[in-house]
């Protein structure tokens, strides 16, 4: 499905700024028996020169990407800890009364909803994923197995469902029709309802060369300026914005109807000024970003080829979706990275998409490599602590951004 006009403002003034080549969907992990049957899709990113919304040029159908989605929130401990903090902070900040209803869009295995239950909230999940939906229900959380859109919102409204809080973490940039998504929100919101979305922060992506945040599921990468325009079109306003470190740099965006009882924080306009100062509304910043991405690709390939020539072993630490983007764009297969180790049962004993690196159970490894290529670099501090004995014994991590670097004990940059 190709974007012919801006997904935000409808303009046809779209400009491609990076092409990552044809790639498979990064969440479809093949087995050795079917690895030659993978589908690949064009993969390029554009910016709208009218509203500055960054978006994918072409993407597969949502049903193909999300119905058997293998990501499981509960196995990512940094995210679990973050959700614990976020639930507590949100309940206290907006003084949510006990038994208020919280809807989580894209609830996955229900981890965030259970954090709200700890604060005596009623909860409801909405998620099309069959694999994670079963995990959610097995844990006792009700989930509607469907996509969020206007039809879903209206159906819940007809059932007199009135949430006090709607959350969408790492979901609001997965949307094919974002206007349809927002119409679903307004169908169930009133002047007390808060919509809280957590999104990867475009400013962090561009400034830290995090090109692997681009993948087919991320139809859009958000910044606050374009979002302000988008919400205003639907009679909504951004109440506040807050930066968080999770996923390499994200923002929490709190949104209400124009009639919402909460006042708009001056932080919103300051955030937009900072985006403008960072060049996010100028195509030149994206051309410079592309140059940095190409440099990182070349540096990573050179490092891995040098380690191979020296007889060193390299394993991938994690097999996240962002890792698929990096491995495919940088042409890293089993010849440069012998295996990937994972904790997610839906990925173990499969192959990385496109590059076909074997994925093994992290808990079953009896040896360690000379180097780990940290594909889940957004959890680097967590891995530095988890693997402190490995690093203290001389093991090393390869981290691909903001520049390619090798880190050792304590996460300190070191030589190869």
């Amino acid at each position: 499905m190709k974007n012919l006009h801006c997904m935000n403002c409808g303009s046809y003034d779209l400009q491609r700024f990076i092409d990552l080549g044809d790639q498979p969907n990064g969440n479809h992990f093949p087995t050795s028996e079917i690895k030659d049957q993978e589908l690949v899709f064009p993969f390029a990113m554009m910016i709208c020169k009218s509203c500055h919304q960054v978006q994918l040029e072409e993407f597969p159908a949502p049903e193909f990407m999300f119905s058997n989605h293998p990501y499981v929130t509960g196995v990512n401990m940094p995210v679990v800890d973050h959700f614990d903090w976020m639930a507590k902070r949100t309940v206290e900040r907006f003084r949510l009364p006990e038994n208020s209803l919280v809807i989580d869009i894209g609830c996955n295995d229900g981890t965030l909803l259970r954090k709200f239950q700890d604060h005596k909230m009623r909860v409801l999940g909405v998620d099309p994923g069959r694999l994670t939906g079963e995990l959610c229900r097995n844990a006792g959380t009700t989930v509607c197995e469907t996509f969020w859109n206007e039809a879903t919102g209206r159906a819940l409204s007809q059932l007199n469902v009135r949430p006090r809080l709607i959350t969408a973490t790492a979901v609001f940039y997965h949307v094919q029709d974002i206007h349809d998504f927002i119409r679903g929100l307004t169908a169930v919101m009133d002047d007390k309802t808060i919509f809280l979305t957590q999104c990867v922060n475009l400013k962090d992506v561009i400034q830290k060369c995090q090109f692997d945040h681009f993948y087919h599921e991320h139809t859009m990468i958000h910044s606050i300026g374009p979002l302000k325009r988008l919400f205003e079109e639907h009679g909504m306003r951004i109440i506040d914005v807050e930066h968080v470190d999770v996923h390499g740099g994200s923002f929490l965006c709190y949104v209400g109807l124009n009639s919402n009882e909460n006042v708009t924080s001056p932080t919103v306009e300051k955030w937009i000024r900072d985006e403008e100062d960072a060049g996010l509304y100028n195509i030149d910043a994206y051309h410079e970003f592309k140059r940095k991405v190409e440099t990182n690709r070349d540096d990573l390939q050179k490092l891995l080829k040098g380690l191979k020539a020296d007889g060193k072993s390299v394993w991938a630490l994690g097999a996240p979706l962002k890792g698929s983007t990096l491995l495919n764009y940088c042409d890293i297969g089993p010849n440069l990275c012998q295996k990937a180790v994972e904790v997610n049962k839906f990925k173990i004993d499969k192959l990385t998409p496109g590059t076909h690196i074997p994925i093994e159970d992290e808990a079953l490894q009896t040896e360690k490599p000379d180097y780990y290529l940290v594909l889940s670099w957004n959890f680097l501090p967590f891995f530095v602590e988890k693997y402190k004995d490995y690093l203290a014994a001389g093991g090393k991590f390869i981290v691909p951004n903001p520049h390619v670097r090798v880190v050792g004990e304590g996460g300190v940059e070191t030589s190869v």
Side-chain angles (χ1 to χ4, degrees):
M1 304 179 70
K2 190 174 180 66
N3 277 336
L4 300 177
H5 55 79
C6 176
M7 300 174 73
N8 183 326
C9 73
S11 169
Y12 288 87
D13 195 6
L14 299 168
Q15 183 170 345
R16 177 192 289 185
F17 64 87
I18 191 168
D19 186 350
L20 298 168
D22 290 352
Q23 294 198 22
N25 178 262
N27 257 334
H28 282 229
F29 292 84
T31 62
S32 56
E33 291 77 16
I34 62 170
K35 66 179 183 179
D36 296 327
Q37 302 172 28
E38 281 184 293
L39 299 175
V40 296
F41 305 90
F43 188 13
M45 299 299 295
M46 308 182 294
I47 185 170
C48 174
K49 297 176 73 174
S50 295
C51 76
H52 316 297
Q53 177 71 59
V54 168
Q55 55 207 284
L56 192 63
E57 185 174 295
E58 193 165 350
F59 49 89
E63 292 79 9
F64 173 78
M65 292 189 286
F66 295 109
S67 293
N68 289 297
H69 201 269
Y71 175 81
V72 179
T73 302
V75 302
N76 292 297
M77 294 314 299
V79 175
V80 175
D81 292 341
H82 168 68
F83 280 173
D84 192 24
W85 169 85
M86 190 175 72
K88 181 176 186 295
R89 179 174 178 79
T90 305
V91 169
E92 292 177 350
R93 176 173 184 175
F94 294 101
R95 295 185 290 276
L96 301 184
E98 288 186 14
N99 293 317
S100 294
L101 176 63
V102 177
I103 294 178
D104 187 25
I105 300 171
C107 65
N108 198 263
D109 66 349
T111 295
L112 178 58
L113 289 177
R114 287 189 289 278
K115 298 298 184 182
F116 280 108
Q117 282 182 309
D118 291 343
H119 294 277
K120 301 181 180 179
M121 301 289 114
R122 294 180 295 121
V123 300
L124 174 65
V126 177
D127 193 308
R130 291 191 290 271
L131 298 176
T132 53
E134 183 178 356
L135 296 177
C136 195
R137 285 185 286 271
N138 288 344
T141 304
T142 301
V143 56
C144 300
E145 192 175 298
T146 187
F147 287 94
W148 182 269
N149 50 35
E150 182 177 7
T152 302
R154 290 192 178 280
L156 291 175
S157 178
Q158 290 172 0
L159 295 172
N160 201 33
V161 173
R162 287 287 176 252
R164 189 67 179 265
L165 176 69
I166 306 172
T167 57
T169 59
V171 168
F172 196 52
Y173 43 92
H174 288 183
V175 180
Q176 176 187 353
D177 185 343
I178 200 162
H179 293 275
D180 189 33
F181 187 102
I182 294 176
R183 287 192 295 268
L185 296 176
T186 59
V188 295
M189 293 177 71
D190 59 28
D191 59 7
K192 293 183 180 296
T193 309
I194 295 293
F195 171 55
L196 167 57
T197 181
Q198 177 182 294
C199 301
V200 168
N201 183 26
L202 177 63
K203 183 180 173 186
D204 284 298
V205 170
I206 298 301
Q207 292 185 334
K208 300 175 184 176
C209 203
Q210 298 171 347
F211 76 93
D212 50 356
H213 268 313
F214 298 149
Y215 35 88
H216 290 116
E217 294 182 4
H218 283 180
T219 56
M220 311 170 83
I221 299 292
H222 290 305
S223 54
I224 296 301
L227 281 183
K228 182 174 182 288
R229 192 220 74 82
L230 177 68
F231 286 122
E232 286 175 347
E233 182 177 338
H234 293 271
M236 304 173 74
R237 59 184 171 85
I238 299 176
I239 294 168
D240 203 357
V241 187
E242 183 174 6
H243 189 273
V244 289
D245 291 333
V246 70
H247 297 311
S250 303
F251 59 73
L252 301 177
C253 185
Y254 305 90
V255 188
L257 300 178
N258 286 337
S259 59
N260 191 279
E261 57 189 18
N262 292 278
V263 299
T264 298
S265 168
T267 301
V268 178
E269 288 304 321
K270 182 182 184 305
W271 192 287
I272 293 172
R273 289 195 302 272
D274 289 345
E275 290 179 343
E276 187 170 8
D277 291 343
L280 297 190
Y281 307 155
N282 188 317
I283 189 62
D284 291 343
Y286 299 90
H287 293 324
E288 177 62 22
F289 168 77
K290 179 187 177 184
R291 287 191 287 271
K292 290 179 179 178
V293 168
E294 291 171 343
T295 297
N296 277 20
R297 175 196 61 196
D298 296 344
D299 288 348
L300 183 56
Q301 288 178 335
K302 181 180 178 180
L303 173 60
L304 293 177
K305 289 176 180 178
L307 293 175
K308 179 182 180 182
D310 290 340
K312 302 297 185 182
S313 57
V314 179
W315 298 357
L317 189 51
L321 183 46
K322 61 170 55 66
S324 179
T325 296
L326 184 141
L327 293 173
N328 280 280
Y329 179 66
C330 297
D331 193 23
I332 300 170
N335 60 320
L336 296 177
C337 180
Q338 291 78 53
K339 67 173 73 172
V341 293
E342 255 289 350
V343 297
N344 186 329
K345 66 179 182 180
F346 296 130
K347 301 178 183 181
I348 292 169
D349 295 330
K350 304 283 184 68
L351 304 174
T352 57
T355 52
H356 302 157
I357 297 170
I359 304 171
E360 298 182 7
D361 190 335
E362 180 182 326
L364 298 181
Q365 304 306 309
T366 58
E367 298 179 351
K368 291 286 193 295
D370 297 307
Y371 293 81
Y372 276 112
L373 173 58
V374 186
L375 298 181
S376 300
W377 51 259
N378 48 317
F379 301 139
L380 181 60
F382 171 78
F383 286 122
V384 167
E385 174 62 24
K386 181 177 180 179
Y387 281 79
K388 62 183 179 182
D389 292 340
Y390 163 80
L391 295 172
K396 295 179 180 179
F397 285 167
I398 301 170
V399 185
N401 65 58
H403 62 275
V404 177
R405 64 196 196 278
V406 175
V407 301
E409 188 174 7
V412 178
E413 189 166 346
T414 185
S415 61
V416 174

